[in-house]
Amino acid sequence: MDAVHAAITSEHAEETAMGVTKQYLRYVPSAVFGVIGSPKANAAYVMLRGGERGRYVAVAACEHVFIWDVRRAEKVLILQGTKHEVSYLCPSPDGSHLAVGYEDGAVRIFSLLSGESSVSFSGHKSAVTVISYDALGARLVTGSRDTDVIVWDVVNECGLYRLKGHKDAVTQALFLKDKNLLVTSSKDTFVKWWDLDTQHCFKTMVGHRSEVWGMVLLNNEARLLTGSVDSELRAWDLSYLEQGKELGEPREKRVKSLLEEDGEDAVDTVDEGLEERILRCDKAGSILRESRDRVVSLTTDTKAKVLLCHGGDTMLEVFTVLPPEEVQKRMEKKLKKAKKRAKSQGAGEGVPEPVVERKLGDEILRLANIRASGKIRSVDCVLPPGGEMKVVLLLQNNTLETYTLKTTEKMPEATKTGRLTLSGHRSDVRTMAFSSDNMAVLSASAETVKVWNRSTLQVIRTMACEYALCSIFVPGDRQIIIGTKSGNLQIFDLASGGLLETTHAHDGALWSLALCPDQRGIVTGGADKTIKFWEFELIKDEESGSKKTLTVKHTRTLQLDEDVLCVRYSPDQRLLAVSLLDCTVKVFYTDTLKFFLSLYGHKLPVLCMDISHDSALIATGSADRNVKIWGLDFGDCHRSMFAHDDSVMFLQFVPKTHLFFTAGKDKKIKQWDADKFVHIQTLQGHHREVWCLALSPSGDHMVSSSHDKSMRLWERTREPIILEEEKEMEREAEFEESLAKGEEPVVPGETKGEAAPAGKTTVETVKAAERIMEAVELHREESRNMQEYQAACKAAGKQLPPPKMNPILVAYGNISPSRYVLDVIKKVKSSELELSLLVLPFPYVPDLLALFNTFIQDGLEVELVCRCLFFLLRVHFGQISSNQMLLTVIDNLRTNTISKVQEIKVSEVRGVPPANSPDHDSTGFFPFFPQDVLGFNSAGLQYLQRELEAKEDVMFFADATDRFEEKKRKRKKRERVVLTIA
Ligand SMILES: *[C@@H]1O[C@H](CO)[C@@H](O)[C@H](O)[C@H]1NC(C)=O
Ligand SMILES: *[C@@H]1O[C@H](CO)[C@@H](O)[C@H](O)[C@H]1NC(C)=O
């Protein structure tokens, strides 16, 4: 590293000596704008600062989450992401948090108060497709495109279990309120029921022939409604069978006795019996949607009174789910009618009483259809008691629409209450430009051209236009001109926001336009194989008489043999470069329009190019992925560089330099040095093809636009870039990426094969493991010193001065070595604890187990210690059980753990911290709201309970007495009661 530095310094010194200091300055991302809502994820109503429900909506905006105040059409909060796009959003039941799933499988939980993320989970290998909270907000379930379902403990910030079984992307996952069950649906056509006590799929519903795209629970979880690829919503009646009640059949008895033995294998063999013991599903009919394509969203309000459904088109269908009393009334009415009819038909004595069959259509009624102004991507609603339902629709085309609907009326009409469209384009922005004062930015798409304030990123003007391909600010910044796909030039006045003129310029797309360096006119090139020259003119406005308006006058035409893709003037105005469909760039003299030279070499057409400020260099970017740098004196190619992994879409020199930027279809923006032919930096951020760039005349700002609908502002900093370091950083980033792709065990006890190699975990967890190892080593050394000291005392027959304490311990306030180990473990991020322990080499484990025993005895951090203990026991089961030396340790642990854990449970259920646990709050519990403490602690308890139970089949505890077994069972029952109350 030093050598590199030295080399660079000397190079710099040389350059400085020659008077040509060249410093590369870093450009950094500054803002994302133009996105209202990305169609990758859903929209969700959230609560914010105690504001009213139905006012704030969370939507994905590429890697960020935007919270919009839909009433005032203002962005009020940004939940910052980093790299990967958001793929799912789910607010917590109390409205204080938002769980966000990402394309790479990560999940982060943000506080809606602070906008910060405090918890992150990583366990999925690809996009998170669904997230749900349980009723208490203590557990989270996530489903992914990787087909896994993972249940997370929000309190302890760790994974609880990974549920494998689906064969395709998971589309919905729902906890049940009163039962420890989970139901999931998938594109694999199945709906699966999971018993979370055993983490077992006990039922697979096979009634669907194709993908199940959505699912809701209705009627107090007594009915399941599923949506698939057709217009039928299928309903299933659910009956939960009480444990022990259905034991009439001898087979069931056998099942029960097998289960009593707690054997995993036994459970497997009686899978079917178990299923019947828990739940029955019976098809209860179906509801027909009007829409014919697949279900995209199927959702209800929180009380499941109203059902909302839409497909990939513009129609939202709203149904009302009648409560049982009303269904009853309805049926009675029907029966009366039927009787009347029977009577009027003069039926005699012998005819049986008429019967009316109760159909699903009597319980779920169509309320209204809402036609949105674009294709719907997602829907959410809030239904205040007795009030109007508020509905928000995220459309496919970067729009949010809100409606209200009076659900109590018979045939309610939906009212459109708002539409968020202003701060973004409906379609991709193909061209951008900077005003000459660096202050305003123009962006134009297929239907609108917008002008933005660069410093506030607020829209100053929005004007309807034709499909725009290229654009400029007219000198003076009062007008703008765009060139369109239909071959027109459109001139807009910024003060009035009006279209001044549409001039037909080319028969075919107007691909490129450039301002004449003398600022008196423009040149345009199009698909009609011509170049046209235009002069600005001010003419009297006929209407107002006095005011003058801008127009363009066609002066000259240059006919060519091929379609023109790009035109650029040399800044000295001597030459005009023209890129043609035949892959060449031809250079003409501007004054005579005589041919000067041709640039041959690109294998595919040049899509973009630019000429340096001194008219010395021309850089060309092509669909062949290369960039070439040419001298404009002789047309010699100085260098060809492979630039992007796909077409180079845009190229521009940084004003007054020989540095230039390129934008690629490969999502990247890169900066290059046209003298030294080096790649300086890569700007990553866009998630799809980058279409265009614009650098501000000062070079301090750059904007870019992409197929991901975002526009990004980049800023030049004063931070110099050292190329070697930049390369090193890029390599490291790539390495991290590859690490992140590795399979990480996230759920306790989950190992891939035998010991999971360290290389698969993140840098963070490896570091945490190293810190634990160091602490254990320090503990060992101190113990050794202490032993030696005691031996020395004995030999000397008197007290000797004690040995010097390790300076680290002194620094921490003379704490004991064992306390130091505990502190180090406490400092490991809760979400990384298991992974860190996993990479800890086994030789450190016996030390830790012995230490854990003393911690538990002393009542120190019992919960945390238990969590570590059980995890280590699971992971190193084989090695521990074969180690005679460890058996006494384990035996002690067993007795101590059981008694301590019970003690803690009692006090926690009561909501008070146990005695002997002064640091209780720092064990990884969130600072939650008082009313939730019981719920969250119950979840923590459940976790311990499950862990304890899991240990049952681990041999250490296998010899536990029968009395303990029985106690545990009783306790389990009692705890269930506590949990349902909570
Ligand atoms: C896009 O949304 C707007 C409303 O925001 C609508 O008028 C337009 O028709 C939509 N376009 C498409 C192609 O869906
Ligand atoms: C942009 O906003 C800033 C701050 O509100 C204001 O001072 C400036 O004049 C605005 N610029 C334009 C071009 O509207």
Side-chain angles (χ1 to χ4, degrees), residues 42-45 53 88 90-91 132 172-175 177 213-227 233-234 287 295-310 316-322 363-365 367 378-384 389-393 407:
N42 55 318
Y45 275 115
R53 279 169 67 78
Y88 202 86
C90 176
S132 304
Q172 183 58 283
L174 302 166
F175 284 106
K177 276 199 194 74
W213 285 105
M215 169 174 86
V216 289
L217 286 160
L218 302 175
N219 304 6
N220 250 329
E221 308 189 338
R223 177 168 287 154
L224 183 75
L225 198 68
T226 57
L233 298 177
R234 293 167 179 79
I287 309 240
V295 164
V296 174
S297 308
L298 180 61
T299 186
T300 66
D301 62 303
T302 48
K303 299 241 169 66
K305 285 182 174 166
V306 174
L307 180 73
L308 304 170
C309 185
H310 70 83
L316 175 75
E317 297 179 54
V318 185
F319 300 88
T320 182
V321 184
L322 292 183
E363 303 178 37
I364 302 176
L365 309 178
L367 199 59
S378 167
V379 60
D380 196 16
C381 69
V382 290
L383 181 58
M389 176 167 74
K390 293 181 181 173
V391 177
V392 62
L393 297 176
T407 55

Side-chain angles (χ1 to χ4, degrees), residues 882-898:
S882 61
N883 187 335
Q884 281 300 320
M885 303 262 291
L886 280 175
L887 284 186
T888 33
V889 179
I890 295 298
D891 201 44
N892 288 337
L893 266 171
R894 197 198 70 208
T895 5
N896 289 332
T897 312
I898 290 166

Side-chain angles (χ1 to χ4, degrees), residues 439-440 453 455-456 460:
M439 289 308 295
N453 182 326
S455 62
T456 61
I460 302 169

Side-chain angles (χ1 to χ4, degrees), residues 480-494:
I480 54 170
I481 301 181
I482 61 163
T484 75
K485 203 173 164 183
S486 49
N488 291 336
L489 280 173
Q490 292 194 301
I491 309 178
F492 295 88
D493 181 59
L494 289 185

Side-chain angles (χ1 to χ4, degrees), residues 188-206:
D188 68 3
T189 78
F190 299 131
V191 171
K192 283 179 177 283
W193 288 85
W194 309 82
D195 180 351
L196 293 180
D197 285 332
T198 57
Q199 296 117 53
H200 205 90
C201 170
F202 64 88
K203 187 177 197 67
T204 300
M205 294 166 64
V206 293

